[in-house]
Amino acid sequence: MIGASSARPAAPALLELRDAGFRAAGETILQPLTLAIPAGRVLGVIGHNGSGKSTLGRMLARQLLPSTGRLLLRGAPAERMAARQFAREVAYLPQHIPAAAGMTVQELVGLGRYPWLGAFRSPTREDRDRVRESMATTGVADLSTRLVDTLSGGERQRVWLAMLVAQQAHSLILDEPTSALDIRHQVSVLGLLRQLARTQGVGVVVILHDIYMAGRYCDDIIALRRGRVVAAGGREEILAPDVLRAIYDIEMDVMIHQASGDRVVCLRE
């Protein structure tokens, strides 16, 4: 599923980078890699600052075109698809959320229906129901009439996530979606993403700094360092002292939490 030159999946993945890399101003930002996003799983992307995590996310979301290789959507070249068609399949939440001046929460979440409406069709009852369901699912229904710009950072993050849910895309790409959230809402957001993968067959890619959260909520993890894949596999494989040393260049210990079975990472004295 993940690697610098891994074999193709037996059936077309929801989303796939094939030998894709990115260069800018003569510098290699991301070395060519092959990465398939299947339905029903959560992939975590970890690594230090400047390792290429956000570049990888933007390539998957078609915000950046690969300098080499290509992006495939259900086995077809993504660059040939109309923007609205692509948005019906792939939803993207950037690290830095744009302003939403003068918009209420319900209006912003309603923008998630645009790929299905186009510029001129009015929202149907189904569209309005989807918006309400998305706000309820993400816990922002009680904020529906509030102006987005008056909300806290954590509230805004959840509202944008509600917009992605309303979009009904089959692949979700999220760049550090928990960075502005307290621990309770981090657990809520990541639990929701895992639930969407399990119950709706959504493929999720989430860029994270928190190793513990990646280990707890992600099925698979890919680690980047200086624009290169240095480790990829299941969470049990990645959350190991020797692998973490290769990623972060520091010594860490990994313990198993008795009650949950989670792997807990701590710095070595």
Side-chain angles (χ1 to χ4, degrees):
M1 176 182 141
I2 308 168
S5 59
S6 59
R8 299 183 192 178
L14 294 176
L15 196 61
E16 182 181 2
L17 288 172
R18 188 173 298 170
D19 295 323
F22 186 76
R23 291 176 58 83
E27 180 181 357
T28 298
I29 309 299
L30 194 64
Q31 296 282 351
L33 62 98
T34 293
L35 174 65
I37 310 303
R41 293 183 72 82
V42 180
L43 170 66
V45 182
I46 64 173
H48 59 77
N49 290 338
S51 60
K53 301 188 301 297
S54 292
T55 299
L56 174 60
R58 293 180 68 193
M59 283 172 54
L60 285 167
R62 211 175 70 166
Q63 301 291 307
L64 291 176
L65 295 178
S67 303
T68 60
R70 62 193 333 184
L71 173 67
L72 303 176
L73 179 61
R74 296 186 183 273
E79 71 272 11
R80 298 179 185 173
M81 296 180 182
R84 195 156 56 122
Q85 179 186 0
F86 187 83
R88 289 183 177 185
E89 294 283 347
V90 181
Y92 172 60
L93 186 66
Q95 180 179 355
H96 302 293
I97 297 175
M103 297 188 70
T104 67
V105 167
Q106 184 167 323
E107 288 170 340
L108 179 61
V109 177
L111 292 181
R113 300 303 301 162
Y114 177 76
W116 303 95
L117 291 171
F120 303 109
R121 188 166 71 83
S122 298
T124 65
R125 179 176 179 178
E126 179 184 355
D127 294 315
R128 292 189 290 270
D129 287 344
R130 289 291 182 185
V131 169
R132 282 193 292 269
E133 291 168 6
S134 299
M135 290 192 294
T137 298
T138 53
V140 298
D142 58 336
L143 304 174
S144 62
T145 60
R146 291 273 305 275
L147 290 173
V148 175
D149 286 351
T150 68
L151 303 178
S152 69
E155 289 171 333
R156 283 198 302 272
Q157 199 86 349
R158 286 189 290 143
V159 169
W160 280 89
L161 180 57
M163 188 189 75
L164 263 64
V165 174
Q167 193 170 329
Q168 288 185 283
H170 297 100
S171 298
L172 302 181
I173 317 297
L174 305 101
D175 193 346
E176 297 189 36
T178 61
S179 60
L181 303 181
D182 59 36
I183 186 66
R184 179 170 69 91
H185 288 124
Q186 288 182 41
V187 169
S188 174
V189 166
L190 293 174
L192 171 62
L193 293 173
R194 186 168 63 180
Q195 178 185 351
L196 291 171
R198 298 288 188 270
T199 63
Q200 298 185 25
V202 174
V204 178
V205 179
V206 56
I207 297 169
L208 293 168
H209 271 298
D210 191 315
I211 307 171
Y212 170 70
M213 289 297 186
R216 182 170 186 182
Y217 289 100
C218 299
D219 300 301
D220 306 290
I221 297 175
I222 181 172
L224 300 177
R225 179 169 180 172
R226 296 172 186 166
R228 187 184 302 272
V229 177
V230 294
R235 53 190 173 189
E236 294 82 4
E237 301 170 70
I238 304 303
L239 297 191
D242 57 335
V243 178
L244 293 171
R245 185 190 314 116
I247 299 168
Y248 295 105
D249 210 20
I250 55 176
E251 298 293 335
M252 299 185 191
D253 288 317
V254 179
M255 298 172 288
I256 306 298
H257 188 264
Q258 291 285 332
S260 65
D262 290 343
R263 291 177 173 246
V264 180
V265 177
C266 58
L267 293 176
R268 186 174 297 174
E269 294 291 340

